[in-house]
């Protein structure tokens, strides 16, 4: 935990991706590189623009999308008040950031690894694909509802194999789930890894399929967060009994410091 | 400058500065160790402890509100024994007061908890959260009834040994001064106030409450005016030391609570604005006190001109 | 779309839309005429009226707080007769309900005020502010005691004739539902809630309270979660219509209060954000209702899923 | 009252004046010209930058400094949270403005008129001096504590006679008060007008002197304001009985709509 820090970083730029009905709703937010010693894809940071008044008290959690020697990149979608204000960030603005927080995804260089991303859940896989020592062992299936140009899909697709699936009609979803079913089964047979990030209904589907095929699968969970450091108990998820030894109290674990990445068989997504 | 204040009636007890962290907002302290020096704080009040492990409330448990937040975390914790074994040893309790916040559903349970804590060298004081329903007597909150609040205070005091007992008051009452007086008379060594205001939020699209528990506690800067009023009323009603809590987000706020009579304060929700908040606040407070030319906090305390 | 809601028990009374303005925040209405069409509003509740002219409290009377404000204006007004003669004729009372908010210090005075207003064609209803001390009985607020609240309600109802009587509740109580039940049983036709939260502010440099009156009422977005909780509790306790008040600053907020059961709302402090606030809100509300596909406000009201 | 309006205006520019300890604390805020039909010097507007979140609910009152066919100019000093944020306004930002509000100063072209300004109280006199039909009948005495370059003094001084008096030591104040005493006496003798704007202690002095010399004197008052339109009763001052006829309730009148300019003998400045 010793490289957790709380620092103010300058915005380098905040580049809109794609458009939805003429509006910019997706942004790659590039910040100065914090002085972190190390980080793992799947970890996240808490972000609070310095210009925010106290009318909105909490920082917002975002997956680390990429880290280079020069910058820290986050990728976010406008969904509410906070992200709407973040869309107005300009180069030179100050942003308070603490992290890297939580546990990242498992990296097993030689295991065939399936990346399942739903919508903005693609963000952590950018860093995963780019930092993986053997990217030819990775494969991604990406389900999305907004135009593909809204997402950082290209930057992953240039490194690893995979497909994108636009969900317009209900049949599209059915077909996507069938595809995931097959892919998970394939990876389970080879004792591969399945990693998923996306909205909770998507994670529930992946969890169900992973358990069905006894795949080794990790899910990155999303919940409302206030502190990001395990203190407020606002972000918990129900967990299996075998996690209790881990310092987890009374059947519920904080997503921020015990996750956001959990093994699929250890979490219960029924609540929230 | 010396930031230590005398605590009337407690010659052997003190805080090296008046800034403590509030229960439920600072975890068990250890979560914040990466962000600052815990021993710089005036004290740490840990998340509410119960006798047995408790799962707390279902999710969602928190929601943001204008200049505040709602929480219905409930008392999720792995029980007092687990705290003493797993968490307390990790805290620098020799260098700063670690205060155990306790929660129970009847006076006997409160007493049992207290007698366990009274034996622990690492525990500096016990803070009693009386914002909980008395399950045996129809579910009215201990903190909303002067007689019940007094009974809990007595039960806890009887077994607290030399640990100071702090009673934490709820603002959701018609007359907070009456409750304060009752717990003072029942032997409380200090009072802390306020706990959260009873509030609620809903989502008009899903038509569901924002919290699974429907009702939750409102905290943060939004409630500061209510907290100041309560602390002022309580300080006028009792002679024991009072710890002010509610919406503190600046060094000015700390002095505001002291101006109306508080001996110390606890910082709650502000710890979520940034995890180094309380550490920075201690520094800012020292700077402000100096800049304002206050040379004696004891003199400043309670010096409101009416 | 028709924004009119049925008010149970009041077949001859209604608001053409659920957005009214709150007492003390919209003057006598006329002050806002330059900024919008008064008749577009669901109703206007005028500044509190007393029997005799009253000077109100000394200055300073107002202070800004995080997402809110404190006021201790007191009941400055030139008396009910002056209002009826000077102000009421300037209001478009034939086209929208003008509600008289009244304030007194004993039940007899409340009744006297009401009987004067009951004769006035231009007055649609009487809203009774019971957040005032009963000077004859030790100064406890009428609104903080169920029996006293009921006595005021009865006294007012007895002389109100065909004017609906709205009792306006204070949130500064242990159990607001009990007070609501008491005033319903005493004959109230409607309940409005909440009035301001009791709060306070101080200036650490002058060491003086921000308000000359020391304690004042907290209002604005900061208190919305408390207001929603109160309205929800009151709506579950009574069957008469409830008007929600507290921190409303958006069309979403209006629907939130309706979702927990309110038949209408009053906009208070938001009128100070900009003087055309309530006029714009009426329009935004219609747009939001349409955008959300709500075709029946009656069905939406109280449809919170637990 | 029919030209009162509530409109959003663009900032043209926000020019700092002078410096205090290296900081910019005084600004001439130039806004687009609102569509007002008429206004009087001494009237004010309520200003609320559109970017303000609800953590600060109230607009802030500012005297109308000047109005030209192209712009509305306000002149403000940074004294607290709101003005600190206003200092950050940039051209192109939106500002909500309502007004013109209240009553302006009396204009009597042929009366010798003494303008007494204390600090930032100089603002309304810029417009007064520039719109007065016979500026040679005006004379100003300006007391100030910050460097003269902080104030729009030049733009008045180019039109009318007058002096500026820096108050550094207590003696400076004594001398300034003696000077005002003489000037007020002179104007009273000629049945002239005395108009004053500045902080409350300054106004109390002027009021005292004006009553002593039976001068016809108007004071522009400052109080905290929430609504600016006479509705909240937060801004009242004690007034003399002869104002009651004027619709004023119970001995107190709202400064925003019964003032901010009052005849000196009609107000009681003892409160607040
Ligand atoms: C570990 C983690 C990593 C994340 N990574 C990314 C990322 O890389 N890119 C990205 O765009 N988003 C990410 N999110 C989600 C992001 O945090 C939320 O979209 C953001 O907090 C919403 O803020 P807001 O103020 O705009 O929305 P609000 O106005 O607060 O809420 C709008 C809606 O979003 C829901 N919501 C609010 N906070 C969260 C949350 N933390 N998780 C899920 N739903 C929420 C609310 O319940 C509401 O329905 C991540 C969340 C977590 C927990
Ligand atoms: C009719 C009128 C005209 C004014 N014209 C000008 C002007 O042309 N230029 C200018 O710089 N200022 C003017 N003021 C004063 C200006 O409104 C205040 O300085 C401003 O509101 C302070 O806002 P703030 O948020 O920065 O300060 P706050 O943080 O709100 O308060 C800082 C300090 O200023 C005091 N204060 C707050 N509001 C007022 C107020 N309305 N009047 C007096 N003191 C106040 C507070 O009590 C506190 O001591 C005028 C005020 C009035 C009533
Ligand atoms: C998430 C959260 C959890 C809390 N848990 C407890 C608790 O376990 N015991 C307790 O006495 N108070 C608890 N509180 C109340 C705080 O200690 C404090 O009294 C309250 O939040 C007001 O202070 P603030 O406005 O600074 O947050 C909790 C508050 C929050 C926000
Ligand atoms: C300046 C001011 C004056 C008020 N005067 C009265 C009053 O005379 N009578 C009354 O019943 N309520 C009065 N109120 C309370 C409001 O009507 C309302 O109940 C309260 O402000 C909560 O709503 P809000 O948060 O929307 O402001 C006043 C409120 C304010 C801010
Ligand atoms: S966000 Fe606070 S515990 Fe996880
Ligand atoms: S500012 Fe509201 S009455 Fe004057």
């Amino acid at each position: 935990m010793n490289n957790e820090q709380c620092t103010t970083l300058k915005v380098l730029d905040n580049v809109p991706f794609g458009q939805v009905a003429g509006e910019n709703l997706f942004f790659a937010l590039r910040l100065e590189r914090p002085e972190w010693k190390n980080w793992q894809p799947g970890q996240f940071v808490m972000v609070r623009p310095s210009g925010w008044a106290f009318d909105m008290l909490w920082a917002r959690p975002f997956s680390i999308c990429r880290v280079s020697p020069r910058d820290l990149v986050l990728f976010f979608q406008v969904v509410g008040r906070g992200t709407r204000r973040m869309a107005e960030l300009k180069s030179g603005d100050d942003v308070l950031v603490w992290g890297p927080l939580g546990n990242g995804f498992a990296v097993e260089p030689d295991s065939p690894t399936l990346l399942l991303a739903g919508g903005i859940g693609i963000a952590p896989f950018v860093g995963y694909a780019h930092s993986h020592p053997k990217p030819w062992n990775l494969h991604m299936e990406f389900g999305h509802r907004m135009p593909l140009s809204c997402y950082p899909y290209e930057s992953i697709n240039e490194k690893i194999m995979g497909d994108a699936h636009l969900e317009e009609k209900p049949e599209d979803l059915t077909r996507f789930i069938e595809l995931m079913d097959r892919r998970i089964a394939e990876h389970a047979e080879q004792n591969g890894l399945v990693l998923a990030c996306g909205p909770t209904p998507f994670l529930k589907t992946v969890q169900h399929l992973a358990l069905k095929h006894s795949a080794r699968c990790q899910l990155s969970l999303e919940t409302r967060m206030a502190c990001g450091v395990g203190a407020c108990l606002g972000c918990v998820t129900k967990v299996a009994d075998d996690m209790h030894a881990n310092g987890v109290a009374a059947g519920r674990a904080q997503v921020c410091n015990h996750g956001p990445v959990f093994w699929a068989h250890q979490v219960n997504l029924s609540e929230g | 400058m010396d930031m230590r204040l005398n605590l009337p009636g407690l010659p052997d007890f003190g805080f090296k500065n008046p800034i403590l962290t509030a229960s439920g907002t600072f975890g068990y302290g250890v979560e914040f160790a990466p962000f600052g020096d815990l021993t710089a704080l005036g004290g740490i009040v840990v998340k509410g402890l119960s006798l047995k492990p408790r799962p707390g409330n279902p999710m969602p448990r928190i929601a943001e509100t204008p200049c505040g937040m709602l929480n219905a975390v409930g008392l999720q914790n792995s029980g007092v024994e687990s705290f003493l074994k797993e968490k307390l040893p990790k805290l620098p309790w020799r260098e700063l007061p670690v205060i155990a916040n306790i929660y129970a559903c009847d006076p006997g349970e409160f007493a049992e908890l207290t007698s366990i804590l009274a034996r622990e060298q690492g525990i500096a004081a016990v803070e009693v959260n009386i914002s909980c329903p008395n399950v045996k007597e129809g579910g009215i909150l201990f903190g909303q009834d002067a007689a019940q609040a007094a009974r809990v205070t007595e039960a806890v005091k009887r077994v607290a040994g030399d640990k100071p007992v702090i009673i934490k008051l709820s603002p959701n009452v018609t007359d907070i001064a009456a409750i304060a007086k009752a717990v003072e008379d029942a032997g409380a060594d200090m009072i802390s106030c306020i706990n959260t205001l009873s509030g609620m939020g809903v989502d008009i699209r899903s038509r569901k409450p924002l919290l699974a528990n429907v009702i939750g506690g409102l905290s943060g800067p939004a409630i500061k005016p209510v907290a100041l009023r309560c602390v002022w009323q309580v300080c006028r009603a009792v002679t024991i030391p009072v710890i002010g809590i509610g919406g503190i987000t600046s060094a000015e706020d700390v002095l505001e609570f002291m101006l109306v009579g508080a001996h110390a304060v606890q910082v709650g929700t502000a710890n979520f604005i940034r995890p180094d908040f309380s550490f920075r606040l201690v520094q800012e407070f020292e700077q402000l006190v100096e800049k304002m030319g206050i040379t004696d906090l004891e003199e400043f305390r309670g010096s409101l001109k009416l």
Side-chain angles (χ1 to χ4, degrees), chain B residues 110-143:
Chain B
F110 270 118
E112 210 177 324
L113 266 162
T114 307
S115 51
I116 294 170
L117 291 161
R119 294 192 293 265
E120 288 293 326
Q121 204 194 346
I123 298 296
V126 176
E127 182 182 67
V128 187
N129 177 358
I130 56 173
S131 297
C132 44
N134 184 340
V135 287
K136 297 215 178 115
E137 302 192 16
I140 186 189
L141 305 194
F142 289 109

Short mmCIF file of all heavy atoms in Angstrom, two decimals, chain B residues 110-143:
data_model
loop_
_atom_site.label_atom_id
_atom_site.label_comp_id
_atom_site.label_asym_id
_atom_site.label_seq_id
_atom_site.Cartn_x
_atom_site.Cartn_y
_atom_site.Cartn_z
N PHE B 110 -24.61 -2.97 25.86
CA PHE B 110 -23.67 -1.83 25.93
C PHE B 110 -22.66 -2.06 27.04
O PHE B 110 -21.46 -1.82 26.88
CB PHE B 110 -24.44 -0.52 26.19
CG PHE B 110 -24.89 0.20 24.95
CD1 PHE B 110 -26.24 0.41 24.69
CD2 PHE B 110 -23.96 0.71 24.05
CE1 PHE B 110 -26.66 1.10 23.55
CE2 PHE B 110 -24.37 1.40 22.91
CZ PHE B 110 -25.72 1.59 22.66
N ALA B 111 -23.16 -2.52 28.18
CA ALA B 111 -22.29 -2.73 29.32
C ALA B 111 -21.28 -3.84 29.04
O ALA B 111 -20.09 -3.72 29.37
CB ALA B 111 -23.12 -3.06 30.57
N GLU B 112 -21.74 -4.89 28.40
CA GLU B 112 -20.85 -6.00 28.10
C GLU B 112 -19.71 -5.54 27.20
O GLU B 112 -18.54 -5.85 27.43
CB GLU B 112 -21.68 -7.11 27.43
CG GLU B 112 -21.15 -8.49 27.72
CD GLU B 112 -22.04 -9.57 27.10
OE1 GLU B 112 -23.28 -9.36 27.07
OE2 GLU B 112 -21.51 -10.58 26.62
N LEU B 113 -20.07 -4.80 26.17
CA LEU B 113 -19.07 -4.24 25.26
C LEU B 113 -18.06 -3.39 26.03
O LEU B 113 -16.85 -3.50 25.84
CB LEU B 113 -19.76 -3.35 24.23
CG LEU B 113 -20.15 -3.95 22.89
CD1 LEU B 113 -21.18 -3.05 22.22
CD2 LEU B 113 -18.92 -4.11 22.01
N THR B 114 -18.60 -2.54 26.88
CA THR B 114 -17.73 -1.61 27.61
C THR B 114 -16.78 -2.37 28.53
O THR B 114 -15.60 -2.03 28.63
CB THR B 114 -18.58 -0.63 28.43
OG1 THR B 114 -19.51 -0.02 27.56
CG2 THR B 114 -17.71 0.44 29.07
N SER B 115 -17.29 -3.41 29.17
CA SER B 115 -16.39 -4.09 30.11
C SER B 115 -15.27 -4.81 29.36
O SER B 115 -14.16 -4.92 29.87
CB SER B 115 -17.16 -5.03 31.04
OG SER B 115 -17.98 -5.87 30.29
N ILE B 116 -15.54 -5.25 28.16
CA ILE B 116 -14.45 -5.82 27.35
C ILE B 116 -13.41 -4.75 27.04
O ILE B 116 -12.20 -4.95 27.18
CB ILE B 116 -15.01 -6.44 26.05
CG1 ILE B 116 -15.90 -7.64 26.37
CG2 ILE B 116 -13.88 -6.83 25.10
CD1 ILE B 116 -16.68 -8.18 25.19
N LEU B 117 -13.89 -3.58 26.61
CA LEU B 117 -12.98 -2.51 26.20
C LEU B 117 -12.23 -1.90 27.38
O LEU B 117 -11.09 -1.44 27.24
CB LEU B 117 -13.77 -1.42 25.46
CG LEU B 117 -14.30 -1.86 24.09
CD1 LEU B 117 -15.43 -0.94 23.64
CD2 LEU B 117 -13.18 -1.90 23.07
N ALA B 118 -12.88 -1.93 28.56
CA ALA B 118 -12.28 -1.31 29.75
C ALA B 118 -10.97 -1.98 30.12
O ALA B 118 -10.10 -1.37 30.75
CB ALA B 118 -13.26 -1.36 30.92
N ARG B 119 -10.81 -3.24 29.73
CA ARG B 119 -9.59 -3.98 30.06
C ARG B 119 -8.44 -3.68 29.13
O ARG B 119 -7.33 -4.12 29.35
CB ARG B 119 -9.89 -5.49 29.96
CG ARG B 119 -10.87 -6.02 30.96
CD ARG B 119 -10.86 -7.54 30.97
NE ARG B 119 -11.37 -8.14 29.73
CZ ARG B 119 -12.64 -8.53 29.57
NH1 ARG B 119 -13.51 -8.39 30.55
NH2 ARG B 119 -13.02 -9.07 28.44
N GLU B 120 -8.71 -2.97 28.02
CA GLU B 120 -7.71 -2.83 26.97
C GLU B 120 -6.87 -1.58 27.14
O GLU B 120 -7.38 -0.46 27.09
CB GLU B 120 -8.40 -2.78 25.60
CG GLU B 120 -8.98 -4.07 25.16
CD GLU B 120 -7.90 -5.12 24.88
OE1 GLU B 120 -6.80 -4.73 24.39
OE2 GLU B 120 -8.16 -6.30 25.14
N GLN B 121 -5.59 -1.77 27.24
CA GLN B 121 -4.66 -0.66 27.39
C GLN B 121 -4.72 0.28 26.18
O GLN B 121 -4.58 1.49 26.30
CB GLN B 121 -3.26 -1.26 27.50
CG GLN B 121 -2.27 -0.38 28.20
CD GLN B 121 -0.85 -0.89 27.96
OE1 GLN B 121 -0.64 -2.02 27.50
NE2 GLN B 121 0.13 -0.05 28.28
N GLY B 122 -4.94 -0.28 25.00
CA GLY B 122 -4.90 0.50 23.77
C GLY B 122 -6.13 1.38 23.54
O GLY B 122 -6.14 2.17 22.59
N ILE B 123 -7.12 1.25 24.38
CA ILE B 123 -8.35 2.03 24.21
C ILE B 123 -8.32 3.21 25.18
O ILE B 123 -8.22 3.02 26.39
CB ILE B 123 -9.59 1.15 24.50
CG1 ILE B 123 -9.67 0.00 23.50
CG2 ILE B 123 -10.87 1.99 24.47
CD1 ILE B 123 -9.87 0.40 22.05
N ALA B 124 -8.42 4.41 24.65
CA ALA B 124 -8.31 5.60 25.49
C ALA B 124 -9.65 5.99 26.10
O ALA B 124 -9.70 6.53 27.20
CB ALA B 124 -7.78 6.77 24.66
N ALA B 125 -10.73 5.74 25.36
CA ALA B 125 -12.05 6.12 25.85
C ALA B 125 -13.09 5.34 25.06
O ALA B 125 -12.78 4.75 24.03
CB ALA B 125 -12.28 7.63 25.69
N VAL B 126 -14.31 5.37 25.56
CA VAL B 126 -15.41 4.69 24.88
C VAL B 126 -16.44 5.73 24.47
O VAL B 126 -16.89 6.52 25.31
CB VAL B 126 -16.05 3.64 25.81
CG1 VAL B 126 -17.25 2.99 25.14
CG2 VAL B 126 -15.03 2.58 26.21
N GLU B 127 -16.78 5.74 23.19
CA GLU B 127 -17.83 6.64 22.72
C GLU B 127 -19.07 5.79 22.44
O GLU B 127 -19.02 4.82 21.69
CB GLU B 127 -17.39 7.37 21.44
CG GLU B 127 -18.44 8.36 20.94
CD GLU B 127 -18.03 9.05 19.64
OE1 GLU B 127 -17.96 8.38 18.59
OE2 GLU B 127 -17.81 10.27 19.67
N VAL B 128 -20.18 6.19 23.04
CA VAL B 128 -21.39 5.38 22.97
C VAL B 128 -22.36 5.99 21.96
O VAL B 128 -22.86 7.10 22.14
CB VAL B 128 -22.06 5.29 24.36
CG1 VAL B 128 -23.23 4.32 24.32
CG2 VAL B 128 -21.04 4.90 25.42
N ASN B 129 -22.59 5.23 20.90
CA ASN B 129 -23.55 5.66 19.87
C ASN B 129 -24.94 5.27 20.32
O ASN B 129 -25.31 4.09 20.27
CB ASN B 129 -23.18 4.97 18.55
CG ASN B 129 -24.15 5.28 17.43
OD1 ASN B 129 -25.13 5.99 17.63
ND2 ASN B 129 -23.88 4.75 16.26
N ILE B 130 -25.72 6.25 20.77
CA ILE B 130 -27.05 5.90 21.27
C ILE B 130 -28.13 6.14 20.21
O ILE B 130 -29.32 6.14 20.50
CB ILE B 130 -27.39 6.64 22.60
CG1 ILE B 130 -27.27 8.16 22.44
CG2 ILE B 130 -26.52 6.14 23.73
CD1 ILE B 130 -27.74 8.94 23.65
N SER B 131 -27.70 6.31 18.96
CA SER B 131 -28.67 6.45 17.86
C SER B 131 -29.06 5.08 17.35
O SER B 131 -28.89 4.76 16.18
CB SER B 131 -28.06 7.25 16.72
OG SER B 131 -27.75 8.55 17.14
N CYS B 132 -29.58 4.27 18.24
CA CYS B 132 -29.93 2.92 17.84
C CYS B 132 -31.20 2.56 18.57
O CYS B 132 -31.47 3.04 19.67
CB CYS B 132 -28.81 1.95 18.19
SG CYS B 132 -28.14 2.23 19.83
N PRO B 133 -32.00 1.72 17.94
CA PRO B 133 -33.29 1.40 18.56
C PRO B 133 -33.11 0.49 19.77
O PRO B 133 -32.27 -0.40 19.77
CB PRO B 133 -34.03 0.67 17.44
CG PRO B 133 -32.99 0.18 16.49
CD PRO B 133 -31.79 1.06 16.66
N ASN B 134 -33.88 0.75 20.79
CA ASN B 134 -33.95 -0.16 21.92
C ASN B 134 -34.91 -1.27 21.54
O ASN B 134 -36.13 -1.12 21.65
CB ASN B 134 -34.46 0.58 23.15
CG ASN B 134 -34.46 -0.31 24.39
OD1 ASN B 134 -34.44 -1.53 24.28
ND2 ASN B 134 -34.48 0.32 25.55
N VAL B 135 -34.36 -2.38 21.06
CA VAL B 135 -35.23 -3.43 20.52
C VAL B 135 -36.18 -4.01 21.56
O VAL B 135 -37.29 -4.41 21.26
CB VAL B 135 -34.42 -4.57 19.87
CG1 VAL B 135 -33.83 -4.11 18.55
CG2 VAL B 135 -33.32 -5.07 20.79
N LYS B 136 -35.74 -4.00 22.83
CA LYS B 136 -36.58 -4.59 23.88
C LYS B 136 -37.76 -3.68 24.23
O LYS B 136 -38.73 -4.11 24.80
CB LYS B 136 -35.76 -4.85 25.14
CG LYS B 136 -34.66 -5.87 24.88
CD LYS B 136 -34.41 -6.75 26.09
CE LYS B 136 -33.33 -7.79 25.76
NZ LYS B 136 -32.13 -7.61 26.56
N GLU B 137 -37.62 -2.37 23.92
CA GLU B 137 -38.70 -1.47 24.33
C GLU B 137 -39.28 -0.70 23.16
O GLU B 137 -39.20 0.52 23.08
CB GLU B 137 -38.21 -0.51 25.43
CG GLU B 137 -37.70 -1.29 26.63
CD GLU B 137 -37.48 -0.42 27.86
OE1 GLU B 137 -37.98 0.71 27.89
OE2 GLU B 137 -36.80 -0.90 28.78
N GLY B 138 -39.79 -1.46 22.22
CA GLY B 138 -40.58 -0.87 21.14
C GLY B 138 -39.79 -0.18 20.05
O GLY B 138 -40.36 0.35 19.11
N GLY B 139 -38.50 -0.19 20.17
CA GLY B 139 -37.69 0.29 19.05
C GLY B 139 -37.44 1.78 19.02
O GLY B 139 -36.79 2.27 18.12
N ILE B 140 -37.93 2.55 20.01
CA ILE B 140 -37.55 3.97 20.00
C ILE B 140 -36.05 4.06 20.28
O ILE B 140 -35.47 3.24 20.99
CB ILE B 140 -38.34 4.80 21.06
CG1 ILE B 140 -37.98 6.28 20.85
CG2 ILE B 140 -38.08 4.30 22.46
CD1 ILE B 140 -38.48 7.21 21.91
N LEU B 141 -35.42 5.06 19.64
CA LEU B 141 -33.98 5.17 19.79
C LEU B 141 -33.61 5.61 21.20
O LEU B 141 -34.24 6.49 21.77
CB LEU B 141 -33.41 6.18 18.79
CG LEU B 141 -33.72 5.96 17.30
CD1 LEU B 141 -32.82 6.83 16.45
CD2 LEU B 141 -33.59 4.51 16.89
N PHE B 142 -32.56 4.99 21.75
CA PHE B 142 -32.04 5.42 23.05
C PHE B 142 -31.79 6.92 23.05
O PHE B 142 -32.06 7.61 24.01
CB PHE B 142 -30.72 4.71 23.35
CG PHE B 142 -30.88 3.26 23.66
CD1 PHE B 142 -30.47 2.29 22.77
CD2 PHE B 142 -31.45 2.86 24.87
CE1 PHE B 142 -30.61 0.95 23.06
CE2 PHE B 142 -31.59 1.52 25.17
CZ PHE B 142 -31.17 0.56 24.26
N GLY B 143 -31.27 7.40 21.94
CA GLY B 143 -30.84 8.79 21.87
C GLY B 143 -31.99 9.77 21.76
O GLY B 143 -31.78 10.98 21.78
#
